């Protein structure tokens, strides 16, 4: 009995596989903050990088990426991926601003959810690999939007409500950050407090076993893709309000970072394991890394090298630990 109780005591003090990546990402955030502070002290004589105003501004910008990553995490937890993010985001913004008025935001969100529904049906019922199907849908959406606009930038502008949600403040807190926080609470409740959340993890671990246990795996997959499309469109609507208009290619910069934020935060790329807190931490890491490189006036080539190296390094660090425990 004594030997049997020892592993239990150790496990109560040891970190879970989901906690380690979060702590590693948090450590990288501290390193990035230290580097940024040292650079601003050396060049400007002030620690402006640590000022609350600057950090709050970075969180406001990071909220757009965080919203996209929230939807992406649900899909990755299933063991799938959504590569239609760039033009789902752009289509939601462009069509929302084109409609305008009180229907702008519902139309934008509806477009994103419709794209997600198509993705879900293709993956769940046609059994096409999600990487291939969503990439094809992204190309279709790109062609569709170019056809609607004639290849030119749309002339529509964001509605006042879209601008408020993107640039407004409540009690000093940026509205995008509030929207991201509300969405985060809903995602956490979904994953931790509902049977649907348990189904998502079960399908990610082994879809066939989940199906044999009585879970309607097809509908769960469709739901996740609809959520991913809706989150992408929501980010597009907010970005349109932030920049006052929608434009082609506005979602191109969010595909790889959203995937990276999810994976860096510890969500298994093959599904079945991950915590939403890790996605939040991964998002903050990417935003701060981008900010530091921008402040240091790093050339684009250097930014890409450092950006990719950090992602690979983090995946190697906790990926090896995960493999050892698995």
């Amino acid at each position: 009995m004594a030997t049997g109780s020892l592993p239990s005591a150790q496990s109560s003090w040891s970190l879970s596989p989901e906690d380690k990546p979060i702590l590693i990402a948090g450590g990288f955030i501290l390193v990035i903050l230290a580097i940024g502070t040292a650079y601003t002290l050396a060049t400007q004589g002030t620690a402006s990088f640590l000022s609350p105003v600057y950090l709050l501004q970075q969180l406001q910008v990071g909220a757009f990426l965080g919203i996209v990553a929230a939807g992406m995490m649900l899909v990755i937890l299933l063991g799938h991926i959504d590569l239609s993010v760039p033009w789902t985001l752009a289509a939601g913004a462009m069509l929302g601003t084109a409609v305008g008025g009180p229907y702008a935001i519902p139309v934008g969100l509806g477009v994103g959810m419709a794209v997600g529904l198509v993705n879900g049906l293709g993956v769940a019922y046609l059994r096409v690999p999600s990487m291939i199907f969503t990439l094809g849908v992204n190309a279709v959406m790109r062609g569709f939007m170019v056809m609607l606009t004639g290849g030119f930038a749309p002339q529509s502008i964001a509605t006042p409500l879209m601008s408020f949600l993107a640039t407004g403040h409540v009690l000093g807190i940026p509205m995008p950050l509030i929207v991201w926080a509300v969405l985060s609470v809903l995602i956490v409740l979904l994953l931790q407090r509902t049977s649907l959340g348990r189904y998502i993890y079960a399908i990610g671990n082994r879809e066939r076993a989940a199906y044999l246990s009585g879970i309607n795996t097809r509908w769960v997959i469709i739901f996740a893709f609809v959520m991913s499309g809706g989150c992408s469109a929501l980010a597009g609507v907010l970005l349109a309000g932030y920049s006052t208009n929608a434009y082609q290619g506005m979602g191109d910069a969010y595909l790889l970072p959203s995937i990276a934020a999810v994976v860096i935060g510890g969500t298994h790329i093959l599904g079945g394991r991950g915590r939403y807190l890790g996605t939040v931490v991964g998002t903050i890491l990417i935003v701060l890394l981008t900010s530091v490189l921008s402040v240091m006036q790093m050339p684009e080539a250097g930014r890409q090298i450092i950006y990719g190296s950090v992602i690979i390094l983090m995946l190697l660090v906790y990926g090896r630990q995960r493999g050892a425990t698995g």
Side-chain angles (χ1 to χ4, degrees), residues 93-215:
M94 293 169 69
L95 291 178
T97 54
V99 172
Y103 298 106
I105 295 178
V107 167
L109 296 180
V111 169
M113 297 176 71
V115 174
L117 177 61
V118 173
N119 286 332
L121 290 173
V123 174
Y125 283 92
L126 301 181
R127 309 303 295 176
V128 180
S130 58
M131 179 178 295
I132 303 301
F133 194 88
T134 58
L135 186 62
V137 169
N138 186 67
V140 170
M141 292 304 300
R142 177 180 182 179
F144 181 65
M145 296 312 300
V146 171
M147 180 182 66
L148 286 181
T149 59
F152 300 97
Q155 301 300 316
S156 54
I157 61 175
T159 64
L161 179 57
M162 294 168 65
S163 298
F164 172 73
L165 291 176
T167 61
H169 292 74
V170 174
L171 300 178
I173 303 176
M175 279 303 300
L177 198 56
I178 295 176
V179 174
W180 184 25
V182 172
L183 177 63
S184 298
V185 171
L186 295 177
I187 295 293
V188 171
L189 291 176
L190 169 69
L191 293 177
Q192 297 185 359
R193 301 295 182 182
T194 68
S195 57
L196 181 58
R198 293 190 291 272
Y199 296 163
I200 290 175
Y201 282 102
I203 294 173
N205 281 307
R206 182 165 295 182
E207 183 177 350
R208 182 177 295 274
Y211 174 78
L212 293 176
S213 68
I215 298 175

Side-chain angles (χ1 to χ4, degrees), residues 8 15-17 22 92 94 102 124 164 186 260 263 275 278:
S8 176
L15 294 173
S16 68
I22 299 176
M94 293 169 69
F164 172 73
L186 295 177
V263 177
R275 295 177 58 189

Side-chain angles (χ1 to χ4, degrees), residues 28-59 284-297:
F28 268 87
I29 290 177
L30 295 179
V31 171
I32 292 172
L33 288 174
I35 293 175
T37 302
Y39 182 83
T40 54
L41 281 174
T43 58
Q44 304 173 9
T46 61
S48 58
F49 197 81
L50 288 179
S51 67
V53 175
Y54 182 80
L55 292 177
L56 196 61
Q57 181 184 12
Q58 295 307 307
L59 288 176
I284 296 174
L285 187 154
I286 291 176
V287 171
L288 291 179
L289 175 61
T290 304
S291 176
V292 167
L293 296 179
S294 177
V295 169
M296 297 175 67
Q297 297 181 350

